[in-house]
Amino acid sequence: MHKNALVLFSGGQDSTTCLALALSRYERVETVAFDYRQRHSVELQARLQVLDQIKRQFPHWAPKLGEDHLLDLAVLGQVSETSLTRDTAFKMESSGLPNTFVPGRNLLFLTLAAALAYRRDLEVIVTGVCETDFSGYPDCRDDSMKAMQLALSLGMDKRFLIDTPLMWIDKAQTWQLAHDLGGQPLIDLIVEHTHTCYLGDREHRHAWGYGCGSCPACALRAAGHARYTAGVALNP
Ligand code: ZN
């Protein structure tokens, strides 16, 4: 029986839902994020807001929520030419991947998360990767996760479990999962405080939260929310 978990927590909708799931499933939960000089530090601010709001609004989860870690990964800027780290506009490339894609970024995240989990005595690593919506990211695929779980367990001589609760569900089901875990208060928290928009827009408020409304991350979040609310209207 696994008891302690480390959640890769960026402050977005997916990782916030994963955090809620971890808090309902495990006894001690810590969080980690990576600062790779994102153009929009709104992400890093959003995650602190979300942690604070979870502690305030969910007193049964608060005692389980342990230390938050922020690891410096500025080195990623040296191996990428993307709009996340350089001042170039967001666009989709001919490969079908956004130019924000850094090859193998998630493998690096998981390796560092495992090193941290080892030191903090946490055996589960929870990550919001998903094949359903973003199958273009090869380092987020289920096979990649299984291979990493084996490599990290062997390489660190400790049995790690990589828990991927969103792997096979779509964005509408992710909203529904959040509702199942924390009811309307968690939905409201996600809408108000999480950040997903690639352009870092916190000016425009929609039913599904803040964002430019047109980048792929906003489009995905908005479409999922629309299907989720339509489902709620059908099955109140
Ligand atoms: Zn956007």
Side-chain angles (χ1 to χ4, degrees):
M1 179 62 187
H2 300 286
K3 289 184 177 159
N4 303 325
L6 178 65
V7 180
L8 275 74
F9 177 62
S10 68
Q13 176 191 353
D14 290 348
S15 66
T16 299
T17 306
C18 284
L19 177 58
L21 186 99
L23 288 166
S24 66
R25 187 178 279 178
Y26 303 111
E27 288 178 11
R28 181 164 63 94
V29 176
E30 299 192 6
T31 47
V32 63
F34 305 93
D35 182 357
Y36 45 101
R37 307 296 189 263
Q38 291 95 325
R39 264 208 313 172
H40 311 290
S41 61
V42 292
E43 280 179 32
L44 298 179
Q45 287 163 20
R47 62 189 298 285
L48 296 179
Q49 288 276 344
V50 170
L51 287 174
D52 184 53
Q53 289 295 325
I54 283 181
K55 283 181 196 156
R56 287 166 192 257
Q57 295 190 44
F58 298 89
H60 59 297
W61 284 343
K64 297 177 166 189
L65 193 52
E67 223 170 291
D68 178 45
H69 310 269
L70 184 63
L71 303 183
D72 189 333
L73 262 187
V75 66
L76 275 184
Q78 295 173 17
V79 291
S80 71
E81 287 288 339
T82 76
S83 63
L84 282 179
T85 47
R86 301 279 171 88
D87 197 22
T88 54
F90 176 88
K91 64 176 171 55
M92 297 300 285
E93 292 180 338
S94 56
S95 62
L97 296 169
N99 65 344
T100 51
F101 176 67
V102 178
R105 186 182 69 183
N106 202 42
L107 305 181
L108 190 57
F109 286 177
L110 284 167
T111 304
L112 290 167
L116 182 63
Y118 186 101
R119 184 162 61 75
R120 302 289 302 165
D121 200 24
L122 308 163
E123 58 265 30
V124 184
I125 297 166
V126 186
T127 169
V129 290
C130 174
E131 274 205 23
T132 314
D133 286 321
F134 264 147
S135 55
Y137 290 100
D139 60 345
C140 291
R141 289 182 191 148
D142 193 48
D143 281 351
S144 302
M145 293 304 102
K146 289 192 166 76
M148 281 304 280
Q149 178 174 290
L150 184 60
L152 294 170
S153 295
L154 290 172
M156 297 192 194
D157 198 20
K158 176 186 166 86
R159 190 77 188 152
F160 287 112
L161 176 73
I162 299 183
D163 189 1
T164 58
L166 310 185
M167 183 60 81
W168 305 113
I169 65 175
D170 65 20
K171 271 285 189 286
Q173 291 168 306
T174 302
W175 283 105
Q176 184 61 52
L177 176 59
H179 190 272
D180 295 345
L181 291 164
Q184 192 59 38
L186 187 58
I187 295 290
D188 293 343
L189 188 159
I190 287 171
V191 166
E192 196 60 35
H193 297 290
T194 68
H195 184 82
T196 309
C197 176
Y198 282 142
L199 303 183
D201 186 324
R202 294 296 293 174
E203 278 176 47
H204 300 95
R205 172 70 150 78
H206 313 264
W208 44 266
Y210 291 90
C212 72
S214 54
C215 77
C218 281
L220 200 59
R221 177 163 163 155
H225 188 264
R227 278 184 292 120
Y228 159 70
T229 49
V232 170
L234 285 173
N235 307 295

